[in-house]
Amino acid sequence: FVPLDLTFPLPIMPYLVDELGFITCNVSRGERIIAAETNQSFDVPQKFLQSGSNYFIVDSDLHPVVSCHAGLRINVTVNPAPATGPTGLYVAVGASPSFDCHCCGNYKGENCDIFDSCLSHPCQNGGSCLHPNNDSHEFACECPLGFYGSHCENQTEDLCDVVDCYNNATCTGNSTSFYCSCPAGLTGTHCEVDINECESLPCVHGTCVDKRNGFTCHCEPGFHGATCSDRHRMCSLSPCKHGGYCHELDQPPGPFQFTCHCQPAWTGRDCTTRVSQQQASLGTRCEVNINDCDPNPCKYGGHCRDGVNAHSCLCIHSHAGSNCQFTLDLFSPILEDTDISGGIIHNPRHTRNLYIVAGTLTAAIAVMVLVLIACYCRISGSYRSCCGVSKFHLYRRYREDMTLNVDVTSASDCPLAVDAFWRSLDSETEALSSSSSRQSFQNHTV
């Protein structure tokens, strides 16, 4: 028998019919599956489930609503089990010639023809079922922590038996928990994480490189120590070459706080620069200062002052710069000359010549201005008025014709113009009579 869940709330009578009876709901050629109507589950005898399609419809003599026409019909297609499969039938249930397979046991697929050993859930206690080598007929269980066995059926009493603590860590635990005691410099559940000791920036003057349970500092030049915090005594490194004497300077920490006292034939910060033969012969105890003004580096006649490995220039004649190399005066280039060594010097003769040329040009310009003024006055006719000649000439020409008889009897005063002229009196008597009364003044000629 094959169990089919055909439960219905009302009593029914199932019939096995042919395809035509299935389509037309005709039970006349059908065969009853059970003896009496029932509303309970029942088993279908195997003889009614042959290979291929098996058509079933439902009818009822007691309830008219229970009939095939109401949709109570089913098509059961039966496929035989494959040769490698277990005994039994694979039943596909559907209401039409097409069907869906509901597989049994460890079979799956559209026709229930694929065997899968994991379909029976062989792994216990939450274990995961896997197929080794992708073979569906085999399985292996991946057990959760604390369980072991082919089906994860066994539970350990101490998790340390199945747990690995790395890097020689020590494990302590029970059936439900464990703890790995890590060596110094390691952390993590299984002591698998290396602690980074460089996170705290321990290297003061250097670069930190992390190691297992420690670190290494690569120090900057001039520093040493585990954390690069100690400054080298630079003279201990013998920085002065060719027999030079090193002197440590008392200054704040730094990589190059020293000075070198070099042998006579050498100079420079670390005594690696060879000096000339003349310089090397000066002083056996470095008591002679080398003359940095020989040869004179100051141009345009500047005066050089020597220093210790340095010099300064006092510039003259409108020049400036560390070596008097800049000219500030427009005329300076023409006032300069060269000496027998090719140097630039100031020549006084050039200055005198410049003054002569400037004076000559000034006099020539003044003469030209006067000539231009004279020519302009003569051409425009205004030179007489400019020089006062015009009035004098007119006076001489028209002097005799400018006599007038003026009656000033009724005048209260006799104001005269500033350019009026009195006629000369003929005698002293006439002069006296004119000053005695205004009556006599009216007869005079102005």
Side-chain angles (χ1 to χ4, degrees), residues 24-37:
T24 61
C25 291
N26 186 354
V27 298
S28 60
R29 294 181 296 178
E31 183 180 359
R32 289 189 175 192
I33 298 175
I34 58 179
E37 293 184 1

Side-chain angles (χ1 to χ4, degrees), residues 79-374:
N79 291 329
T84 58
T87 59
L89 297 176
Y90 298 83
V91 180
V93 180
S96 65
S98 62
F99 61 89
D100 293 326
C101 289
H102 298 269
C103 305
C104 302
N106 286 7
Y107 286 88
K108 63 181 181 179
E110 183 179 357
N111 297 316
C112 299
D113 55 351
I114 300 175
F115 182 84
D116 188 347
S117 59
C118 287
L119 291 178
S120 60
H121 306 290
C123 301
Q124 305 173 20
N125 299 309
S128 300
C129 184
L130 305 175
H131 292 300
N133 303 320
N134 293 324
D135 187 355
S136 63
H137 289 80
E138 299 180 4
F139 73 90
C141 291
E142 187 177 68
C143 302
L145 185 64
F147 294 91
Y148 65 97
S150 60
H151 295 80
C152 302
E153 70 277 12
N154 300 319
Q155 184 177 8
T156 182
E157 296 181 358
D158 188 352
L159 289 180
C160 290
D161 296 337
V162 293
V163 169
D164 293 329
C165 292
Y166 304 135
N167 300 305
N168 298 321
T170 302
C171 180
T172 57
N174 51 35
S175 61
T176 58
S177 63
F178 73 97
Y179 173 75
C180 290
S181 180
C182 303
L186 296 171
T187 186
T189 305
H190 299 272
C191 301
E192 74 280 11
V193 179
D194 180 21
I195 298 175
N196 185 7
E197 284 81 8
C198 288
E199 286 184 348
S200 60
L201 304 177
C203 303
V204 181
H205 297 284
T207 303
C208 182
V209 178
D210 182 49
K211 299 192 307 182
R212 174 71 62 82
N213 191 28
F215 62 90
T216 299
C217 288
H218 296 284
C219 302
E220 299 173 357
F223 296 92
H224 67 99
T227 59
C228 301
S229 58
D230 300 327
R231 186 170 67 93
H232 273 304
R233 305 305 296 178
M234 296 305 298
C235 288
S236 65
L237 303 178
S238 301
C240 302
K241 309 303 180 182
H242 302 103
Y245 171 74
C246 181
H247 175 68
E248 199 84 32
L249 300 180
D250 186 13
Q251 294 184 2
F256 301 109
Q257 303 302 328
F258 69 95
T259 185
C260 288
H261 300 282
C262 305
Q263 294 293 331
W266 300 93
T267 186
R269 182 177 184 82
D270 54 359
C271 302
T272 56
T273 303
R274 183 180 291 276
V275 299
S276 63
Q277 185 66 27
Q278 178 183 1
Q279 293 175 329
S281 62
L282 297 176
T284 58
R285 294 182 175 85
C286 302
E287 74 278 9
V288 179
N289 180 29
I290 298 174
N291 186 7
D292 297 289
C293 290
D294 185 18
N296 186 5
C298 305
K299 300 180 181 298
Y300 303 108
H303 176 69
C304 180
R305 286 183 176 179
D306 181 39
V308 178
N309 195 26
H311 72 278
S312 61
C313 289
L314 300 178
C315 304
I316 61 174
H317 302 305
S318 302
H319 290 89
S322 59
N323 290 323
C324 304
Q325 68 271 28
F326 302 115
T327 301
L328 304 180
D329 190 354
L330 180 62
F331 297 101
S332 291
I334 65 175
L335 302 178
E336 295 165 354
D337 205 342
T338 57
D339 55 13
I340 58 175
S341 62
I344 300 177
I345 61 174
H346 184 77
N347 194 333
R349 183 169 56 85
H350 292 339
T351 304
R352 291 194 297 272
N353 293 338
L354 179 62
Y355 291 159
I356 294 173
V357 172
T360 303
L361 289 175
T362 303
I365 292 173
V367 172
M368 290 179 64
V369 172
L370 293 177
V371 172
L372 290 174
I373 293 175

